[in-house]
């Protein structure tokens, strides 16, 4: 496996893609759990804080729908560079105010940039690497995404509370350093071929539905783990467990998908999501005394399914289309990912405000349960 992964990294453009991805997702991940905290610092309630990542993902999704046509019209270089600037520069606005309105405004601008980077990044994996090793390449790309998430999603809330929010906001500017690798990568990538006919969106429904459900769970936990547990230290450990298992799972399932096919692993991972969210709902049932063991086991289970299904559904999406539709497959996949993340943030914030975090977590787990038939449908392919 090691030699195969090394050969994937030697593919032209892959090192630049990894560098660009690490810088962009460092800026993104640092603010994902901290921006809602900054809103609460400014007086927002759980519902208002939930809107922060919801707005971020709304504008991300709206942008993702436009990226495939932008790539065909303008080419890789201007699209990639613009995406890095839009993701990084608006972060400076967080230094100015913690009012909910300003946080939502700058989050929306960052969403424009993140929409570009997510679609182009995953599409470039398909462009740069032979389909026989695509699962491994997606795994390496996933590690470049997950590495910053391990550091900043788990440690960001603790750093914000102990060192200060300013440090996290500075990390949020890192995508600006990614402008150079983005430009160089754009010059290496081949021109996107003109689309012949409409993309086969019907064939993308299954992977997108499975992805949306698991990111609903992941987005809920990332946005509100700090608020749903009884201590900052415990939430940090739980987020660390979640992000580490996500990273390892997304990487390792790449090789399994190349060897055995992606479909046979989807339904066990959906069941794993349901089990993990059930344990988490039990763990946070008492807001003043979180139960440690089910919290950490539940976070690990959700992390395994969260990472594994990210890899497998992207493999399935690219398998469903021809090369001229890679951009549309990437956009559809990313819409599912980010819509799930944003809806998870909004949904758990709204339900927690009306009822409790325990109820919210259990209801999000029930959504994953409803997707078991979808996962089972392609288990033999």
């Amino acid at each position: 496996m090691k030699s195969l992964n090394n050969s994937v990294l030697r593919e032209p453009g892959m090192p630049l893609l990894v560098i660009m991805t690490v810088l962009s997702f460092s800026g993104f991940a640092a603010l994902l759990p901290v921006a809602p905290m900054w809103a609460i610092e400014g007086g927002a309630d759980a519902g208002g804080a939930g809107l922060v990542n919801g707005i971020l993902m709304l504008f991300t999704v709206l942008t993702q729908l436009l990226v495939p046509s932008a790539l065909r019209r303008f080419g890789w270089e201007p699209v990639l560079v613009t995406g890095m600037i839009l993701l990084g520069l608006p972060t400076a606005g967080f230094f100015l105010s913690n009012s909910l309105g300003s946080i939502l405004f700058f989050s929306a601008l960052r969403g424009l940039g993140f929409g570009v980077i997510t679609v182009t990044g995953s599409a470039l994996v398909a462009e740069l690497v032979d389909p026989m090793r695509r699962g491994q390449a997606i795994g390496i790309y996933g590690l470049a995404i997950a590495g910053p998430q391990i550091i900043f999603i788990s440690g960001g809330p603790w750093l914000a509370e102990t060192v200060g929010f300013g440090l996290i906001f500075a990390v949020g500017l890192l995508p600006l350093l990614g402008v150079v690798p983005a430009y160089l990568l754009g010059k290496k990538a081949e021109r996107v071929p003109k689309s012949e006919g409409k993309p086969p969106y019907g064939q993308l429904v299954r992977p997108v539905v499975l992805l949306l459900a698991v990111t609903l769970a992941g987005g809920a936990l990332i946005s509100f783990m700090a608020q749903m547990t009884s201590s900052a230290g415990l939430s940090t450990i739980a987020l660390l467990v979640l992000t580490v298992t996500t990273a390892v799972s997304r990487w390792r399932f790449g090789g399994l998908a190349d060897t055995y096919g992606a479909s046979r692993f989807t339904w066990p991972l959906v069941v794993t999501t349901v089990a993990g969210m059930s344990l988490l709902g039990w763990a946070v049932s008492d807001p003043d005394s979180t139960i440690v063991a089910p919290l950490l086991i539940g976070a690990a289970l959700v992390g395994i399914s969260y990472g594994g299904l990210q890899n497998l559904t992207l493999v399935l999406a690219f398998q469903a289309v021809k090369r001229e539709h890679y951009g549309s497959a990437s956009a559809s996949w990313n819409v599912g990912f980010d819509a799930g993340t944003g809806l998870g943030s909004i949904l758990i914030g709204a339900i927690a405000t009306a009822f409790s975090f325990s109820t919210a977590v259990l209801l999000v787990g029930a959504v994953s349960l409803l997707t078991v038939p979808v996962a089972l449908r392609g288990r033999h392919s």
Side-chain angles (χ1 to χ4, degrees):
M1 176 66 72
K2 183 176 179 179
S3 62
L4 287 172
N5 282 333
N6 286 339
S7 67
V8 168
L9 279 173
R10 285 199 295 269
E11 294 285 346
M14 277 298 291
L16 287 171
L17 177 60
V18 168
I19 293 170
M20 185 189 79
T21 302
V22 168
L23 290 170
S24 59
F25 275 85
S26 292
F28 171 75
L31 285 172
L32 198 61
V34 171
M37 294 172 60
W38 188 233
I40 290 174
E41 190 84 3
D45 61 12
L51 285 175
V52 174
N53 287 337
I55 289 294
L56 172 74
M57 292 307 167
L58 171 63
F59 278 81
T60 294
V61 168
L62 293 175
T63 303
Q64 286 166 341
L65 298 172
L66 303 175
V67 173
S69 59
L71 287 172
R72 286 190 291 269
R73 181 173 181 181
F74 302 110
W76 288 100
E77 298 158 55
V79 174
L80 284 170
V81 169
T82 300
M84 298 300 286
I85 293 173
L86 285 173
L87 179 58
L89 189 59
T91 307
F94 286 91
F95 286 100
L96 305 178
S97 173
N98 61 5
S99 70
L100 182 60
S102 65
I103 292 172
L104 294 177
F105 174 72
F106 291 117
S107 294
L109 292 178
R110 294 179 67 242
L112 299 177
F114 192 59
V116 171
I117 296 305
T118 50
V119 173
T120 53
S122 51
L124 280 167
V125 174
E127 290 281 346
L128 296 171
V129 179
D130 184 272
M132 296 299 293
R133 292 181 296 167
R134 189 171 289 156
Q136 295 175 50
I138 291 172
I140 294 296
Y141 174 67
L143 279 180
I145 292 172
Q149 291 179 335
I150 291 172
I151 297 170
F152 296 114
I153 290 180
S154 58
W158 179 82
L159 286 170
E161 291 179 347
T162 57
V163 180
F165 284 92
L167 174 63
I168 300 299
F169 299 156
V171 174
L173 296 171
L174 283 178
L176 293 175
L177 299 180
V179 167
V180 173
Y183 175 76
L184 295 174
L185 183 60
K187 291 186 72 67
K188 286 182 174 293
E190 296 181 12
R191 187 79 182 184
V192 178
K194 185 177 180 180
S195 177
E196 298 180 3
K198 293 183 178 180
Y201 289 116
Q203 297 179 40
L204 297 171
V205 170
R206 178 171 171 262
V208 169
V209 167
L210 294 173
L211 180 69
L212 191 148
V214 77
T215 53
L216 196 72
L221 299 181
I222 289 168
S223 294
F224 283 104
M225 185 69 79
Q227 285 77 45
M228 71 173 65
T229 52
S230 56
S231 75
L234 186 56
S235 67
T236 298
I237 294 171
L239 283 171
L240 183 62
V241 170
L242 175 71
T243 52
V244 168
T245 52
T246 296
V248 173
S249 180
R250 187 168 185 180
W251 170 46
R252 297 302 295 177
F253 271 98
L256 293 173
D258 287 342
T259 304
Y260 301 106
S263 288
R264 68 180 61 197
F265 299 105
T266 55
W267 74 264
L269 290 176
V270 172
V271 173
T272 301
T273 305
V274 177
M277 294 299 280
S278 299
L279 285 172
L280 286 161
W282 170 34
V284 302
S285 56
D286 182 352
D288 297 319
S289 181
T290 304
I291 309 173
V292 176
L295 180 80
L296 299 183
I297 295 171
L301 290 175
V302 174
I304 290 169
S305 59
Y306 188 45
L309 285 171
Q310 285 177 48
N311 187 306
L312 300 176
T313 54
L314 187 54
V315 170
L316 291 171
F318 286 131
Q319 286 176 351
V321 301
K322 297 179 180 179
R323 179 174 176 258
E324 61 264 26
H325 296 308
Y326 283 168
S328 296
S330 176
S332 299
W333 184 88
N334 279 285
V335 165
F337 186 99
D338 295 321
T341 302
L343 288 172
S345 175
I346 293 173
L347 187 63
I348 201 169
I351 298 173
T353 300
F355 299 99
S356 68
F357 278 115
S358 179
T359 300
V361 169
L362 291 173
L363 287 175
V364 170
V367 173
S368 286
L369 182 61
L370 293 175
T371 67
V372 171
V374 179
L376 287 170
R377 193 177 66 195
R379 64 189 184 277
H380 300 302
S381 59

